[in-house]
Structure formats: C-alpha cells, structure tokens
Amino acid sequence: SGMGIPSKQYENQGHLFRFEELTSGRALLNEGINLEHCVSLYAPRCQSGLVNIWSMKFLVKNKFESRITIEIRQNRIVQIKGKNNRQPDQLEMDVISVWAKENNLLLAHK
C-alpha cells in the first residue's frame, strides 16, 4: 500500500530526478529488469509491509528512466543500488540525502 510519501521531483546541477514508490509486483519486476538486479525478489517483503522500495528516476530525452533503487525498512534507508548493483555516485547521493531529510528517513545504507 505504500508509505504515504508522495512522488517528488528534484533538480540538481541541471539534472531532473523523480522519486516514485514501487507498490506492485509488476513495478518491482520492471525495476529489476531495467537495472539488472534482483529487486523483484523483495515483493513478499513489500506485501507484508516489512520493506518499501523506491525508484529514483532520471530525466532522459523527456522520459524518466530508472537509475537507482532504494530499500527502506522502518524509515531507514538500508540499501541504495544502481544498475548491476553499482553504488550511487555523489550527484545521486546529494539528491537522495535531500529527499531523505525532507521525509524524515535515516540514511543507513550499505
């Protein structure tokens, strides 16, 4: 059902980012396919309310594309992964930090 945090866009260094919560199995599957990682395996944990998954998307040619997947447990960001499980770069972390602070989320990622 989600965390109740609305989707939101941010601009940083001329780039536009959008945060969207993934609340369906299809959305998790698409995220995993697009970023080539295993986030779709989190569906049962999301359904039970143990985990919330967010996608940070990046505007490319007038279309938002998945760039980073964020795992949240009990208002703590515990995992942040990009394509093929890469770590976020500094630009991405700057935007994630602002979003986390605005939504009272603790950054405790690995």
Side-chain angles (χ1 to χ4, degrees):
S1 63
M3 299 178 69
I5 297 173
S7 296
K8 187 165 181 185
Q9 292 182 182
Y10 294 86
E11 186 175 343
N12 189 0
Q13 296 182 21
H15 302 287
L16 195 58
F17 297 88
R18 181 173 176 81
F19 289 83
E20 296 177 2
E21 188 168 12
L22 305 179
T23 58
S24 72
R26 173 62 62 193
L28 290 168
L29 180 63
N30 289 340
E31 183 83 353
I33 290 169
N34 290 333
L35 295 182
E36 299 177 20
H37 58 46
C38 66
V39 73
S40 63
L41 299 177
Y42 285 69
R45 289 179 241 174
C46 291
Q47 188 174 20
S48 69
L50 294 174
V51 170
N52 298 89
I53 303 291
W54 284 76
S55 178
M56 184 177 81
K57 299 177 183 284
F58 184 72
L59 188 64
V60 178
K61 297 180 183 176
N62 297 320
K63 181 182 175 197
F64 281 99
E65 296 179 0
S66 296
R67 181 146 170 170
I68 294 287
T69 306
I70 302 167
E71 177 188 352
I72 299 173
R73 291 186 210 161
Q74 299 176 344
N75 291 336
R76 294 180 59 201
I77 295 174
V78 297
Q79 194 168 192
I80 302 171
K81 298 293 182 182
K83 190 169 189 165
N84 295 311
N85 288 321
R86 74 166 175 82
Q87 295 297 314
D89 63 28
Q90 191 59 54
L91 175 66
E92 293 162 341
M93 279 308 303
D94 290 347
V95 176
I96 292 167
S97 295
V98 169
W99 176 76
K101 185 175 182 179
E102 284 182 8
N103 291 289
N104 298 312
L105 300 171
L106 177 64
L107 268 169
H109 81 285
K110 45 184 166 175

